[in-house]
Amino acid sequence: MNNLFLTYASWLLGWSVFSASGAGLKIQPLLNPRSHILETGSIAAKVAGSTDRAFAAISRAWVAQSVAAASEMSAEELATDSLTKATELKDMSSQATAQANVAGIANEDAINAVRTMESSASETVSQAKEMAVQRVQQLLASKYQELDTWRKDVLKDPYVQASKAVPKAQEPYNRALNSLYDRIQSYQSEIASTARQATQESVDAQTVSDQAEAKMQGGDIIGANQDLQLARSMLTRAGDLAHNAETLQASAAEMNNMVPLYYSAGLAAVASADHEGNPNSMPPFQMDPNIAFGPPPR
């Protein structure tokens, strides 16, 4: 590089001398070659330094241009971001205004609601009490219904169940026995009445027969025969009444024989119901299971 600058400097010096001589300028005297070489080296160094400074300046210029371009891009980006932020701020401002309007309306609604509540406070309290009572009743009723299966499965008193089942099992047999007793009594009354009628008819027939015999002895044959026919018919009716009484008596006796059968069947039904309701013959509970698990009374 130094040789190149020396050659360039020598050529530039010769060109300057030639140009000066050709132009009629005063030609300077030539220097000592050694001095010329030294001066030429100094100039070359200065030229090299100037060249380096020029290249450094150009590099700094390029760097400054790059930095300026980057700064311009950053400025454009900042401007774009500023516009975006400004738009967002406008939107936020609009939203804040809308929210403020909504808040104002809500505030007015709240004030109106408070005034309404204050004006109807007593009525609202009464309605709230009624609704609370109804709600509690509904809750208790629903819980009672939910626990229905539990009560039927757990809160069972076999002794009470058997006590309830026994009368139901005994009822039809008691009803049949009562019906038999009523019919037997009715038959007994009818038998007694029929027997009295039969006895009376027999007495009356005997009286008429005595009258017929008296008429026969008196010579009233026709009258005697009529009385005898009447006595025979009365005896026939007395026999029918006696037969009816005997038939009723037989029916009453048959029904009377059925009484022990119904009574035994009733006892068997009672024993079966008692065993089905209380198979282990458990004694009654000391406490009612329906209230045993409830809170103590206040």
Side-chain angles (χ1 to χ4, degrees):
M1 177 65 70
N2 293 329
N3 293 328
L4 179 61
F5 278 110
L6 290 174
T7 303
Y8 175 76
S10 299
W11 178 81
L12 182 62
L13 182 61
W15 177 257
S16 300
V17 172
F18 175 76
S19 298
S21 61
L25 297 176
K26 185 179 181 179
I27 299 172
Q28 296 293 332
L30 296 174
L31 298 177
N32 189 358
R34 182 175 180 83
S35 299
H36 176 70
I37 293 172
L38 291 174
E39 290 179 358
T40 302
S42 177
I43 293 171
K46 291 179 180 180
V47 170
S50 298
T51 303
D52 291 337
R53 285 193 294 274
F55 280 120
I58 292 172
S59 298
R60 286 195 296 273
W62 278 105
V63 171
Q65 184 178 2
S66 299
V67 171
S71 300
E72 183 179 1
M73 292 179 64
S74 298
E76 292 178 354
E77 291 179 356
L78 289 174
T80 303
D81 291 341
S82 297
L83 291 176
T84 303
K85 294 297 183 181
T87 304
E88 292 179 355
L89 289 174
K90 288 181 180 179
D91 293 338
M92 293 176 65
S93 177
S94 299
Q95 293 179 1
T97 303
Q99 293 294 332
N101 294 331
V102 172
I105 296 173
N107 186 26
E108 293 179 359
D109 293 339
I111 293 173
N112 294 329
V114 170
R115 291 175 180 174
T116 304
M117 290 176 62
E118 290 177 352
S119 62
S120 60
S122 59
E123 183 179 358
T124 303
V125 171
S126 301
Q127 292 179 355
K129 290 180 179 179
E130 293 178 359
M131 293 175 64
V133 171
Q134 293 177 358
R135 180 58 181 167
V136 171
Q137 291 176 351
Q138 293 176 357
L139 179 61
L140 293 177
S142 63
K143 290 299 181 182
Y144 183 84
Q145 294 175 357
E146 290 177 1
L147 295 175
D148 184 64
T149 304
W150 178 78
R151 286 193 304 274
K152 292 180 179 178
D153 294 339
V154 179
L155 300 182
K156 294 191 301 185
D157 188 353
Y159 182 85
V160 173
Q161 289 184 344
S163 300
K164 293 180 179 179
V166 165
K168 293 181 180 179
Q170 194 176 10
E171 181 181 0
Y173 298 96
N174 289 337
R175 191 166 55 249
L177 285 174
N178 291 331
S179 179
L180 282 176
Y181 290 144
D182 292 340
R183 292 179 65 184
I184 290 172
Q185 290 179 359
S186 176
Y187 279 20
Q188 291 293 341
S189 299
E190 190 172 356
I191 289 169
S193 176
T194 302
R196 284 194 300 270
Q197 290 178 8
T199 301
Q200 187 63 40
E201 287 291 334
S202 298
V203 172
D204 292 340
Q206 185 62 39
T207 302
V208 172
S209 178
D210 293 339
Q211 291 177 0
E213 186 177 358
K215 288 180 181 180
M216 182 69 69
Q217 291 177 359
D220 189 2
I221 302 301
I222 296 173
N225 290 330
Q226 290 176 352
D227 288 341
L228 288 174
Q229 291 295 330
L230 178 60
R232 290 192 185 96
S233 64
M234 293 175 68
L235 288 173
T236 301
R237 189 164 57 252
D240 293 338
L241 290 172
H243 180 71
N244 291 336
E246 290 175 357
T247 302
L248 291 173
Q249 183 64 35
S251 298
E254 184 178 358
M255 287 187 291
N256 195 24
N257 293 331
M258 292 176 66
V259 169
L261 298 177
Y262 275 98
Y263 186 76
S264 299
L267 292 179
V270 168
S272 177
D274 184 71
H275 178 73
E276 184 177 358
N278 190 9
N280 297 320
S281 300
M282 297 295 294
F285 287 168
Q286 296 181 355
M287 299 180 64
D288 187 358
N290 291 318
I291 61 175
F293 298 96
R298 294 182 180 180

